[in-house]
Amino acid sequence: MASVSRGLAAPSWSLRLPPAVRWVYDYLLYPIGQMLVFIIGAAVVLTLLAYLLAALVPEPRPNIILADQISRQLPGMIISGISIGFVYAMIALGYTLVYGVLKFINFAHSEIFMVGSVVGFEIMRRIADSGTLQQWNPVVLIVTVVLVSMLVSGLLAVLIERIAYRPLRGAPRLVPLISAIGISFFLIDFVRATEAITRNDFNLRYPTDQLPWLTQSVALQFGTTTVNVKPTSFIVVGGAVLTLLALNYFVNGTKLGRGIRAVAQDQTTAALMGINVNFMISLTFFVGGAFGGAAGSLFGMNVGTVTPYVGFIPGIKAFTAAVLGGIGNITGALLGGLTLGLVEAFLNGVLVYFPALGQRYTDIFAFSVLILILIFRPSGLLGERVDEKV
Amino acid sequence: MATVTSAAQQPIRALRNWAARPAVATALILLYLAVVLLVLRGLDRRHLWFPTFSTLAFPAFVLSPFIVMSAPISRRLKTILIGGLILIAMPLVGIYDTSYLELAIQICIFTGLALGLNIVVGFAGLLDLGYIAFFAVGAYLWAMFTSQAPTVINISGLLVPAWTFPIFLIIGVGIAAVTGILLGLPVLRLRGDYLAIVTLGFGEMIRVLARNLDQPINFTNGAQGLHNVSPPPIPEIWTSFTSSTANLMGISLANVTPVAQQLLFYFVGVLIVAIVVVVARRLDDSPIGRAWTAIREDEVAAIAMGVPLVKMKLLAFAAGASFAGAIGVLYAAKQTFVSPESFSLIQSISILAMVIVGGLGGIRGVMLGAAVVTLLNLQVLKNMSLQLNALRQMDFVIFGFHVQNWPTQLEPAKYERLVFGLLLIIMMIFRPTGILPEPRRRIELQHDDVVTDEDDVSPAPGPMVGAN
């Protein structure tokens, strides 16, 4: 059974509740609770692992007590892990949605993410160039930037599907994969060329320096330790939670979402039931692409500078997250993204104290995780059958 | 059945029949070769349009063996012509202008790599997006043992003398094969998309390792790369042979050593490619090749028929990797500089593009693909940039457009991804079998119903559809 249908959906006993309560429960409380459970669960497990490491190697460098360092950094690591984890989760959703419907890994998704971040830059830059950036209401500005990049990335994903994947449906499996690689490479240089012509530079700096409310760190007090958090982290988390709730409602609460679930389960039967399969596939690409675009613009605001090459690493990590959670499974993408984000933040925090390793190997670690999962649990944490159909 | 031929087609058909006669074909081919060689001889570097002319003439020369190969002439004549082109004409052209020799060596390197990747992807159907890693292993093997960079091997005096180059070619084969098996073992259960991503991750891991292994112990000199790598020593007789050949052609070489060295690399490259071609062809026709085909077409059926899956998959990875290892050693010796950035994903993709463009699974097709894509990347795009710069300096005006106004960021040489991307998409949509399709695959793809109809929905899986 294709597990797109399970999504973030609430269990069946909620059917007995009154409709209004049920709506709130199904589409607000349950998914938010699920995210909290994932975050707390992953954070607790990782904290225990970190202290275990501290117990095994109490002093990785002279005069540095690992356990003390971990206690001091713990809130910071968790916060940065959550904010990067939500970005991974949003990109991973694009992989998972398309995989659920077409059983195909959309290799070009990382570039859809990149286009989202570039579109976000273009909007902000244009507003800044017109000199009105400071007059914008922060919420309106962010919502505009995110929505426009969602729209552009979503339409781009639909266009890619129409040009490069639909003519190849039913061809041997390598064929659409290679054409996806082609699209991905083409998009990188196409964006680079466009920016090179219009701006004569392809290092695109978000004009965040003009917005003090976006760059000035907020000091949060956790017991005795103070953590400086960038406001963009809150924006990333908030934006991600809102869009994820919207996705949950869309997939599980609307007729179109039901159509997508039907196509994911069985294309032929869905077509016999009067569902326009091609439309549903396009819609899936739109939704997945829109998520990639939202993640891209939020990521861009967070890091400040983007290039046409920015998509590759987050893309491969988000794919790892999707596989980690169980590809084709929406909840799995969320769990995988948050887990991977937290793992990475913890590694970054802890590896610094080991002179032989250092932070340089965090990227290698993401790949190693991917390979290990695929060896020992190819169906991911929450499971999706990836073994073959005979 | 009456042949329906339009009036316009008749002369074309007559012409084709006429050209298909052996004598005429031989004459036409000799004429073609003569024209190409004369044009190459007559090109002048100082001419404004030199980059454009050179871009037309040299590919025409490189493609000539393939034209000879497909011409309707006797086998013996083909062998003589192709042998002459590769072993005599190309070195002479190279002595005349060493930039062509450089290109020819690169073509040899990439042909070898593409043939190796073809074993993994084309024969066994295992999509490997990290193939460049094996190439990197070979290159770093030679570079680490001969570089003057302050690595641990250099400091502890373990550097090897340059004459060990042939031995290292063989060691490179072995080490890369072991790396191939090491990659193959964990991914045995994976296939299709998953395999692609894991191999991609593996390739990136090797690159990141190469970039970061300068601390705590310096093995690879990190991002700066290994410089001053030793090229193999040139025998005295080879240098004098080169200079006397040049003298015969009426060229006095100011500095004969680099030319002799390049020439030596060229012949080593040709030798390696020849060995690879023979091995690949023999493998394809052997029971091993049949087993690979079986795995490629239907893994479950292959297991049921008693194909030893683990052994065969590992063998495919090892065979493909070993070629890349030997070529990596050659590459490091030729470049005398190795840095992690030479082994990025784009290199893996460009080798894949060679295999796909030429025709997955076929040896001749893959060689053609390698030549075409290498020329595209290293000559056509570069020369377009050169031409643009030449025109810019002249303040050339074309159709009212001042070339000077062309944005400096928009250099064709920097946009190889765009070209590869388009190539891959177009090939997949219009000709997934490649320029010179492998016969068996061509039959397969013709029998696959490729669904393009709007109303038609999810066809039954094709023969190559694997994991679900």
Side-chain angles (χ1 to χ4, degrees):
Chain A
M1 199 177 87
S3 38
V4 164
S5 57
R6 277 191 264 129
L8 301 166
S12 57
W13 58 262
S14 68
L15 286 171
R16 285 185 306 237
L17 298 168
V21 179
R22 209 182 102 202
W23 196 94
V24 170
Y25 179 82
D26 275 1
Y27 301 123
L28 290 178
L29 295 182
Y30 185 81
I32 290 178
Q34 209 172 28
M35 289 178 206
L36 281 177
V37 168
F38 289 165
I39 291 170
I40 294 169
V44 167
V45 171
L46 284 168
T47 310
L48 290 179
L49 283 177
Y51 279 114
L52 186 68
L53 183 71
L56 292 174
V57 193
E59 243 184 277
R61 276 188 202 178
N63 297 326
I64 286 184
I65 312 295
L66 190 57
D68 291 357
Q69 298 293 340
I70 292 173
S71 318
R72 195 176 310 147
Q73 292 196 5
L74 199 58
M77 289 195 293
I78 292 177
I79 289 173
S80 73
I82 292 170
S83 69
I84 191 72
F86 270 113
V87 172
Y88 290 159
M90 287 173 84
I91 311 171
L93 276 171
Y95 285 110
T96 267
L97 281 169
V98 168
Y99 189 88
V101 171
L102 281 184
K103 299 283 172 287
F104 150 71
I105 292 168
N106 183 8
F107 218 92
H109 190 63
S110 52
E111 266 49 69
I112 292 171
F113 163 83
M114 177 274 287
V115 168
S117 70
V118 171
V119 169
F121 157 79
E122 283 288 333
I123 301 162
M124 271 204 155
R125 185 80 254 172
R126 267 151 217 252
I127 295 174
D129 286 347
S130 68
T132 55
L133 193 62
Q134 276 93 343
Q135 292 146 29
W136 280 66
N137 179 321
V139 178
V140 177
L141 176 68
I142 288 165
V143 168
T144 315
V145 169
V146 171
L147 279 185
V148 176
S149 16
M150 282 177 89
L151 188 71
V152 174
S153 289
L155 291 177
L156 177 70
V158 171
L159 185 72
I160 290 173
E161 192 268 337
R162 188 70 194 81
I163 293 173
Y165 304 155
R166 192 176 295 180
L168 306 173
R169 233 180 269 162
R173 227 182 147 84
L174 281 185
V175 172
L177 185 65
I178 290 163
S179 115
I181 296 171
I183 287 278
S184 165
F185 269 64
F186 172 78
L187 277 179
I188 291 177
D189 265 4
F190 182 75
V191 170
R192 178 178 161 160
T194 329
E195 292 299 329
I197 293 170
T198 54
R199 302 195 181 274
N200 220 0
D201 187 15
F202 56 89
N203 288 309
L204 310 168
R205 187 163 305 157
Y206 274 66
T208 44
D209 48 335
Q210 300 182 19
L211 300 169
W213 52 266
L214 197 61
T215 43
Q216 239 152 41
S217 293
V218 184
L220 293 182
Q221 195 74 29
F222 290 94
T224 54
T225 54
T226 317
V227 184
N228 288 320
V229 186
K230 283 199 319 193
T232 44
S233 303
F234 296 114
I235 296 169
V236 167
V237 174
V241 171
L242 284 180
T243 42
L244 287 168
L245 289 178
L247 177 78
N248 177 44
Y249 175 69
F250 174 74
V251 172
N252 291 312
T254 63
K255 210 173 166 182
L256 285 174
R258 207 188 306 158
I260 290 181
R261 284 184 284 148
V263 172
Q265 276 197 357
D266 188 334
Q267 287 193 13
T268 320
T269 316
L272 288 172
M273 296 294 151
I275 292 170
N276 184 342
V277 171
N278 279 327
F279 174 73
M280 287 303 165
I281 290 175
S282 293
L283 189 66
T284 311
F285 269 88
F286 180 81
V287 174
F291 266 84
S297 53
L298 290 172
F299 174 84
M301 276 185 239
N302 201 3
V303 299
T305 306
V306 295
T307 68
Y309 306 101
V310 85
F312 177 66
I313 292 287
I316 191 97
K317 285 187 183 159
F319 177 77
T320 309
V323 176
L324 178 66
I327 196 157
N329 184 325
I330 293 179
T331 322
L334 183 61
L335 174 62
L338 287 171
T339 311
L340 191 70
L342 282 165
V343 167
E344 226 178 81
F346 270 79
L347 276 176
N348 266 335
V350 174
L351 281 185
V352 187
Y353 301 109
F354 289 84
L357 294 165
Q359 295 179 324
R360 302 171 298 172
Y361 289 104
T362 350
D363 283 356
I364 282 203
F365 186 81
F367 294 127
S368 319
V369 167
L370 176 67
I371 294 174
L372 289 176
I373 302 161
L374 285 172
I375 297 166
F376 294 110
R377 196 171 161 78
S379 51
L381 293 174
L382 295 187
E384 150 73 357
R385 289 167 59 83
V386 287
D387 55 359
E388 83 210 64
K389 201 190 285 174
V390 180
Chain B
M1 200 169 74
T3 43
V4 188
T5 336
S6 69
Q9 272 176 330
Q10 257 163 3
I12 294 173
R13 174 165 295 185
L15 199 66
R16 199 180 277 170
N17 286 339
W18 175 76
R21 288 193 305 201
V24 179
T26 312
L28 282 177
I29 279 177
L30 289 178
L31 182 70
Y32 172 84
L33 293 179
V35 168
V36 169
L37 285 173
L38 278 177
V39 169
L40 272 180
R41 180 81 175 78
L43 285 181
D44 181 5
R45 269 200 176 273
R46 283 155 302 180
H47 196 276
L48 172 66
W49 292 99
F50 171 78
T52 305
F53 287 134
S54 157
T55 308
L56 294 172
F58 188 63
F61 174 69
V62 172
L63 295 183
S64 56
F66 296 96
I67 295 170
V68 172
M69 193 98 85
S70 59
I73 52 179
S74 76
R75 216 186 148 80
R76 184 182 297 168
L77 189 61
K78 274 188 197 177
T79 318
I80 294 170
L81 276 177
I82 292 173
L85 278 171
I86 292 175
L87 296 179
I88 299 167
M90 184 58 234
L92 293 183
V93 170
I95 290 174
Y96 179 67
D97 186 337
T98 40
S99 71
Y100 295 135
L101 200 54
E102 166 73 23
L103 279 172
I105 299 169
Q106 296 286 354
I107 291 173
C108 282
I109 287 175
F110 283 108
T111 307
L113 288 176
L115 283 169
L117 183 63
N118 185 45
I119 291 184
V120 188
V121 183
F123 291 175
L126 306 161
L127 184 55
D128 183 351
L129 293 185
Y131 187 69
I132 202 74
F134 308 125
F135 181 57
V137 166
Y140 265 97
L141 176 72
W142 177 249
M144 271 160 60
F145 278 98
T146 60
S147 168
Q148 297 301 318
T151 61
V152 63
I153 293 173
N154 187 6
I155 289 166
S156 46
L158 289 173
L159 292 190
V160 297
W163 58 261
T164 50
F165 177 72
I167 305 169
F168 266 76
L169 274 180
I170 295 161
I171 300 177
V173 169
I175 299 261
V178 171
T179 322
I181 292 173
L182 284 182
L183 165 70
L185 274 174
V187 302
L188 276 176
R189 282 170 59 192
L190 310 173
R191 52 162 87 171
D193 310 358
Y194 286 95
L195 182 71
I197 303 252
V198 170
T199 48
L200 184 153
F202 174 78
E204 286 295 297
M205 275 167 79
I206 294 275
R207 190 173 64 87
V208 176
L209 271 182
R211 202 177 55 207
N212 289 331
L213 267 183
D214 53 343
Q215 279 175 1
I217 303 167
N218 188 353
F219 282 107
T220 63
N221 211 22
Q224 290 138 40
L226 293 163
H227 48 83
N228 290 359
V229 177
S230 310
I234 323 163
E236 193 61 41
I237 186 165
W238 185 259
T239 323
S240 55
F241 170 73
T242 310
S243 60
S244 55
T245 317
N247 285 339
L248 271 179
M249 288 169 69
I251 304 166
S252 57
L253 291 170
N255 196 350
V256 74
T257 326
V259 181
Q261 196 153 48
Q262 293 284 72
L263 217 52
L264 191 66
F265 280 125
Y266 172 73
F267 281 109
V268 174
V270 168
L271 181 70
I272 292 179
V273 170
I275 294 171
V276 173
V277 168
V278 171
V279 172
R281 184 160 285 162
R282 299 291 298 156
L283 275 175
D284 196 22
D285 287 341
S286 72
I288 297 172
R290 298 292 141 93
W292 284 339
T293 313
I295 293 172
R296 182 183 79 202
E297 300 303 326
D298 191 335
E299 211 172 286
V300 181
I303 299 169
M305 296 309 290
V307 171
L309 194 72
V310 172
K311 212 168 119 189
M312 285 304 156
K313 275 193 175 178
L314 288 183
L315 198 62
F317 275 117
S322 58
F323 294 154
I327 294 162
V329 173
L330 174 71
Y331 174 84
K334 192 194 84 71
Q335 297 293 89
T336 67
F337 173 68
V338 171
S339 96
E341 299 320 308
S342 326
F343 310 105
S344 54
L345 177 67
I346 179 147
Q347 295 291 335
S348 284
I349 300 287
S350 72
I351 299 169
L352 181 71
M354 291 166 193
V355 175
I356 304 269
V357 166
L360 200 62
I363 288 169
R364 198 194 300 177
V366 168
M367 294 174 81
L368 177 63
V372 168
V373 174
T374 310
L375 282 174
L376 192 70
N377 196 9
L378 293 179
Q379 207 207 4
V380 177
L381 292 178
K382 268 206 183 98
N383 276 354
M384 274 165 76
S385 291
L386 287 178
Q387 186 69 73
L388 210 62
N389 282 336
L391 293 178
R392 200 180 271 148
Q393 276 171 9
M394 294 273 304
D395 192 15
F396 197 80
V397 182
I398 187 165
F399 300 125
F401 174 76
H402 288 262
V403 180
Q404 259 181 337
N405 294 340
W406 187 268
T408 41
Q409 283 281 339
L410 216 59
E411 288 226 7
K414 289 180 185 160
Y415 288 89
E416 77 253 78
R417 281 185 184 80
L418 194 103
V419 177
F420 287 159
L422 274 181
L423 255 180
L424 287 178
I425 302 165
I426 292 169
M427 291 304 289
M428 283 303 107
I429 293 178
F430 297 106
R431 207 177 158 87
T433 48
I435 305 174
L436 287 177
E438 192 222 5
R440 192 190 290 128
R441 193 169 290 267
R442 185 169 48 200
I443 297 165
E444 251 163 47
L445 279 174
Q446 276 167 0
H447 286 274
D448 262 0
D449 330 332
V450 177
V451 178
T452 47
D453 200 314
E454 293 284 322
D455 303 323
D456 210 333
V457 176
S458 181
M464 271 183 61
V465 174
N468 236 334

PDB file of all heavy atoms in Angstrom, chain A residues 320-338:
ATOM      1  N   THR A 320      18.468  11.922   1.882  1.00  0.00           N
ATOM      2  CA  THR A 320      18.822  11.026   2.978  1.00  0.00           C
ATOM      3  C   THR A 320      17.724  11.017   4.027  1.00  0.00           C
ATOM      4  O   THR A 320      17.328   9.959   4.527  1.00  0.00           O
ATOM      5  CB  THR A 320      20.134  11.490   3.623  1.00  0.00           C
ATOM      6  OG1 THR A 320      21.090  11.675   2.607  1.00  0.00           O
ATOM      7  CG2 THR A 320      20.640  10.481   4.621  1.00  0.00           C
ATOM      8  N   ALA A 321      17.204  12.219   4.339  1.00  0.00           N
ATOM      9  CA  ALA A 321      16.147  12.308   5.342  1.00  0.00           C
ATOM     10  C   ALA A 321      14.912  11.540   4.895  1.00  0.00           C
ATOM     11  O   ALA A 321      14.300  10.814   5.682  1.00  0.00           O
ATOM     12  CB  ALA A 321      15.800  13.772   5.596  1.00  0.00           C
ATOM     13  N   ALA A 322      14.564  11.680   3.606  1.00  0.00           N
ATOM     14  CA  ALA A 322      13.386  10.985   3.098  1.00  0.00           C
ATOM     15  C   ALA A 322      13.566   9.472   3.203  1.00  0.00           C
ATOM     16  O   ALA A 322      12.654   8.749   3.600  1.00  0.00           O
ATOM     17  CB  ALA A 322      13.113  11.396   1.654  1.00  0.00           C
ATOM     18  N   VAL A 323      14.772   8.999   2.856  1.00  0.00           N
ATOM     19  CA  VAL A 323      15.026   7.561   2.927  1.00  0.00           C
ATOM     20  C   VAL A 323      15.072   7.114   4.380  1.00  0.00           C
ATOM     21  O   VAL A 323      14.588   6.043   4.742  1.00  0.00           O
ATOM     22  CB  VAL A 323      16.341   7.217   2.199  1.00  0.00           C
ATOM     23  CG1 VAL A 323      16.663   5.752   2.350  1.00  0.00           C
ATOM     24  CG2 VAL A 323      16.236   7.564   0.745  1.00  0.00           C
ATOM     25  N   LEU A 324      15.654   7.970   5.233  1.00  0.00           N
ATOM     26  CA  LEU A 324      15.745   7.652   6.663  1.00  0.00           C
ATOM     27  C   LEU A 324      14.359   7.430   7.252  1.00  0.00           C
ATOM     28  O   LEU A 324      14.122   6.480   7.992  1.00  0.00           O
ATOM     29  CB  LEU A 324      16.452   8.807   7.379  1.00  0.00           C
ATOM     30  CG  LEU A 324      16.639   8.761   8.878  1.00  0.00           C
ATOM     31  CD1 LEU A 324      17.581   7.638   9.236  1.00  0.00           C
ATOM     32  CD2 LEU A 324      17.229  10.075   9.362  1.00  0.00           C
ATOM     33  N   GLY A 325      13.406   8.306   6.878  1.00  0.00           N
ATOM     34  CA  GLY A 325      12.060   8.159   7.419  1.00  0.00           C
ATOM     35  C   GLY A 325      11.266   7.072   6.720  1.00  0.00           C
ATOM     36  O   GLY A 325      10.301   6.561   7.267  1.00  0.00           O
ATOM     37  N   GLY A 326      11.666   6.721   5.518  1.00  0.00           N
ATOM     38  CA  GLY A 326      10.895   5.764   4.721  1.00  0.00           C
ATOM     39  C   GLY A 326      10.323   6.509   3.537  1.00  0.00           C
ATOM     40  O   GLY A 326       9.358   7.260   3.680  1.00  0.00           O
ATOM     41  N   ILE A 327      10.923   6.315   2.363  1.00  0.00           N
ATOM     42  CA  ILE A 327      10.523   7.167   1.240  1.00  0.00           C
ATOM     43  C   ILE A 327       9.111   6.820   0.785  1.00  0.00           C
ATOM     44  O   ILE A 327       8.698   5.669   0.837  1.00  0.00           O
ATOM     45  CB  ILE A 327      11.544   7.108   0.088  1.00  0.00           C
ATOM     46  CG1 ILE A 327      11.312   8.264  -0.867  1.00  0.00           C
ATOM     47  CG2 ILE A 327      11.514   5.778  -0.619  1.00  0.00           C
ATOM     48  CD1 ILE A 327      12.501   8.628  -1.685  1.00  0.00           C
ATOM     49  N   GLY A 328       8.367   7.846   0.378  1.00  0.00           N
ATOM     50  CA  GLY A 328       6.977   7.648   0.014  1.00  0.00           C
ATOM     51  C   GLY A 328       6.036   7.912   1.178  1.00  0.00           C
ATOM     52  O   GLY A 328       4.835   7.893   1.026  1.00  0.00           O
ATOM     53  N   ASN A 329       6.607   8.169   2.346  1.00  0.00           N
ATOM     54  CA  ASN A 329       5.820   8.309   3.557  1.00  0.00           C
ATOM     55  C   ASN A 329       5.979   9.736   4.089  1.00  0.00           C
ATOM     56  O   ASN A 329       7.082  10.166   4.426  1.00  0.00           O
ATOM     57  CB  ASN A 329       6.369   7.282   4.564  1.00  0.00           C
ATOM     58  CG  ASN A 329       5.582   7.241   5.832  1.00  0.00           C
ATOM     59  OD1 ASN A 329       5.090   8.258   6.299  1.00  0.00           O
ATOM     60  ND2 ASN A 329       5.467   6.060   6.388  1.00  0.00           N
ATOM     61  N   ILE A 330       4.877  10.496   4.118  1.00  0.00           N
ATOM     62  CA  ILE A 330       4.976  11.921   4.466  1.00  0.00           C
ATOM     63  C   ILE A 330       5.455  12.105   5.897  1.00  0.00           C
ATOM     64  O   ILE A 330       6.361  12.904   6.172  1.00  0.00           O
ATOM     65  CB  ILE A 330       3.612  12.610   4.257  1.00  0.00           C
ATOM     66  CG1 ILE A 330       3.287  12.637   2.767  1.00  0.00           C
ATOM     67  CG2 ILE A 330       3.638  14.018   4.805  1.00  0.00           C
ATOM     68  CD1 ILE A 330       1.967  13.267   2.455  1.00  0.00           C
ATOM     69  N   THR A 331       4.874  11.354   6.822  1.00  0.00           N
ATOM     70  CA  THR A 331       5.324  11.446   8.214  1.00  0.00           C
ATOM     71  C   THR A 331       6.801  11.100   8.309  1.00  0.00           C
ATOM     72  O   THR A 331       7.549  11.705   9.078  1.00  0.00           O
ATOM     73  CB  THR A 331       4.521  10.475   9.091  1.00  0.00           C
ATOM     74  OG1 THR A 331       3.185  10.467   8.631  1.00  0.00           O
ATOM     75  CG2 THR A 331       4.570  10.883  10.526  1.00  0.00           C
ATOM     76  N   GLY A 332       7.196  10.105   7.518  1.00  0.00           N
ATOM     77  CA  GLY A 332       8.587   9.677   7.524  1.00  0.00           C
ATOM     78  C   GLY A 332       9.516  10.800   7.119  1.00  0.00           C
ATOM     79  O   GLY A 332      10.591  10.965   7.706  1.00  0.00           O
ATOM     80  N   ALA A 333       9.092  11.604   6.120  1.00  0.00           N
ATOM     81  CA  ALA A 333       9.941  12.713   5.680  1.00  0.00           C
ATOM     82  C   ALA A 333      10.149  13.696   6.819  1.00  0.00           C
ATOM     83  O   ALA A 333      11.259  14.190   7.041  1.00  0.00           O
ATOM     84  CB  ALA A 333       9.316  13.408   4.481  1.00  0.00           C
ATOM     85  N   LEU A 334       9.068  13.955   7.561  1.00  0.00           N
ATOM     86  CA  LEU A 334       9.164  14.877   8.692  1.00  0.00           C
ATOM     87  C   LEU A 334      10.110  14.318   9.747  1.00  0.00           C
ATOM     88  O   LEU A 334      11.045  14.997  10.207  1.00  0.00           O
ATOM     89  CB  LEU A 334       7.766  15.076   9.273  1.00  0.00           C
ATOM     90  CG  LEU A 334       7.638  16.063  10.417  1.00  0.00           C
ATOM     91  CD1 LEU A 334       8.053  17.432   9.947  1.00  0.00           C
ATOM     92  CD2 LEU A 334       6.222  16.083  10.922  1.00  0.00           C
ATOM     93  N   LEU A 335       9.887  13.053  10.107  1.00  0.00           N
ATOM     94  CA  LEU A 335      10.730  12.428  11.129  1.00  0.00           C
ATOM     95  C   LEU A 335      12.185  12.381  10.668  1.00  0.00           C
ATOM     96  O   LEU A 335      13.092  12.733  11.421  1.00  0.00           O
ATOM     97  CB  LEU A 335      10.211  11.016  11.419  1.00  0.00           C
ATOM     98  CG  LEU A 335      11.067  10.170  12.355  1.00  0.00           C
ATOM     99  CD1 LEU A 335      11.148  10.823  13.719  1.00  0.00           C
ATOM    100  CD2 LEU A 335      10.492   8.775  12.481  1.00  0.00           C
ATOM    101  N   GLY A 336      12.385  11.958   9.405  1.00  0.00           N
ATOM    102  CA  GLY A 336      13.750  11.840   8.884  1.00  0.00           C
ATOM    103  C   GLY A 336      14.448  13.186   8.874  1.00  0.00           C
ATOM    104  O   GLY A 336      15.607  13.297   9.272  1.00  0.00           O
ATOM    105  N   GLY A 337      13.729  14.233   8.420  1.00  0.00           N
ATOM    106  CA  GLY A 337      14.340  15.552   8.338  1.00  0.00           C
ATOM    107  C   GLY A 337      14.759  16.053   9.709  1.00  0.00           C
ATOM    108  O   GLY A 337      15.894  16.503   9.905  1.00  0.00           O
ATOM    109  N   LEU A 338      13.833  15.942  10.673  1.00  0.00           N
ATOM    110  CA  LEU A 338      14.160  16.440  12.017  1.00  0.00           C
ATOM    111  C   LEU A 338      15.294  15.633  12.629  1.00  0.00           C
ATOM    112  O   LEU A 338      16.217  16.197  13.236  1.00  0.00           O
ATOM    113  CB  LEU A 338      12.918  16.361  12.903  1.00  0.00           C
ATOM    114  CG  LEU A 338      11.851  17.417  12.576  1.00  0.00           C
ATOM    115  CD1 LEU A 338      10.575  17.150  13.335  1.00  0.00           C
ATOM    116  CD2 LEU A 338      12.386  18.796  12.912  1.00  0.00           C
TER     117      LEU A 338
END
